[in-house]
Amino acid sequence: MAQENGNSKGNGKINIAIVGGGIAGLALGAGLKKKDNVTFHIYESVPGYKDVGAGLALHMNAIKAMALIGDEVKQTYFDKALFMGEEDKEMSTEVILAQGPNKGELVAELGKAKGRKTVARSALLDGLLELVPKANITFGKKLDSIDETPDAVHLHFQDGSDVTADCLISADGIHSLTRRYILGADHPATEPKNHDGWQIYRTMVSADFAKQHINPKWTQQVPILLGPRGHINCIPLDKGTRLSAGVAVRGAKFTPTGEAPPLDPAIYSDYSAEAQAIVRLVARDTSASWTAADHDHAPTYYKSHVSMIGDAAHASMPFAGNGAAQALEDAAVLNHLFSRVTHRAQIPAAFSAYDSVRRPRSQEVVDLARKFGRVYAYAEEGMHEDPGRMKQFFAGAAAFTNNADLVRQNDDAMGLFEAAVKGGEGGEEVKAEDAVEIV
Ligand SMILES: Cc1cc2nc3c(=O)[nH]c(=O)nc-3n(C[C@H](O)[C@H](O)[C@H](O)COP(=O)(O)OP(=O)(O)OC[C@H]3O[C@@H](n4cnc5c(N)ncnc54)[C@H](O)[C@@H]3O)c2cc1C
């Protein structure tokens, strides 16, 4: 049935359902609430956010993406973030070889800056939530299935309720149900994978306790100590009062039921003394450990009036520290595109433009994060024996993630959308893939 005013509700506005109230879903909502041409509602499965102690460092591209959605979004991050250590102290991530003939060599200093910050995921979510009107979000609402009719997208929830919308933008995380809907349950890229067998052993302790066991420097400064049986990392949190310490092991020998073996400090006896001390600290309590996974490349991020963003579209290993940043870039692009969508029939063109600019870049970050893991594990041929090559790799990665021109990314998407809409009105059809060069 054709809609006279081009949307399913008959109120003249495009009605968007967002599933998942994580960083991607809330940031998108914070932008959409400022638009007169759309209404939206966020459906989040959990009843409330829990503090799982995870700290995020948001890099330059994340800050730029938040600013594009709105200065208040960027400000929320700065209000919620805490200094890793002392405010006026210069900090960097020191990447050091912990094993082999060059043991002890500093191969890179990443992100050297005064007053480096991290934000607890739960604190960032609380801040973003304050930017979304309460009436526009429902907690405890778990999406169970999706279907589409010519006029609407239908969402069916686990509590038996149904919702109809003009389109669905799903930000439902790495185990996304929407990804299954878009790609198909049997598509090889649908389920997350752990190709390299990564297991992250992690502990959270007070900095005072850590100082009794490890080099006190690493309660104030971030090390990544590299070696073939795992890289070791410490992240000072909350102005240097708490420490998250971990060992990321590539090629862990999981049991057939998926259990990771216990962390055995004995197999690190050829690592540097300070690396061994951190392994022993982590091995005391590995209850904060987890098994990492990421997504193989999806051939598309949308189908008709349903799209996916953030980890649902491109979950990556944590080693490049850019997953949330990519989720924010997605939200920035869709927020920009939806300022011009006035008719339901234009939505696939908006999703196609989003897919064209965001899929190549976000999937390159997935690949980059895998490569970080291999470099850290001495598995990238000969690189650990050539610190110059390693430095070049880190510099190139930082330039790719941080220095991207996100205004241009938004503009490119809008150009594609407008060309497609114009094409649909009788002009020549423009194929999104042919018309854009990705930054
Ligand atoms: C240890 C660790 C460290 C990291 N460090 C960094 C870092 O330093 N910098 C960085 O940029 N990134 C980092 N990341 C990545 C970052 O955390 C993620 O990329 C980001 O949180 C993704 O946000 P999202 O909103 O797409 O997904 P999520 O945060 O996973 O949110 C998805 C939401 O959808 C909800 N949901 C799921 N299914 C349903 C359903 N069926 N119905 C309704 N709701 C549903 C979930 O409850 C959840 O709230 C790190 C990740 C990890 C694990």
Side-chain angles (χ1 to χ4, degrees), residues 20 23-24 44-45 56-57 121 141 143 171-172 290 310-311 321-325:
I23 293 168
E44 167 55 53
S45 61
L56 301 173
R121 181 178 176 272
K141 203 85 180 153
L143 183 70
D172 53 348
W290 53 288
D311 273 12
N322 217 256

Side-chain angles (χ1 to χ4, degrees), residues 20 60 247 360:
M60 194 49 80
V247 185

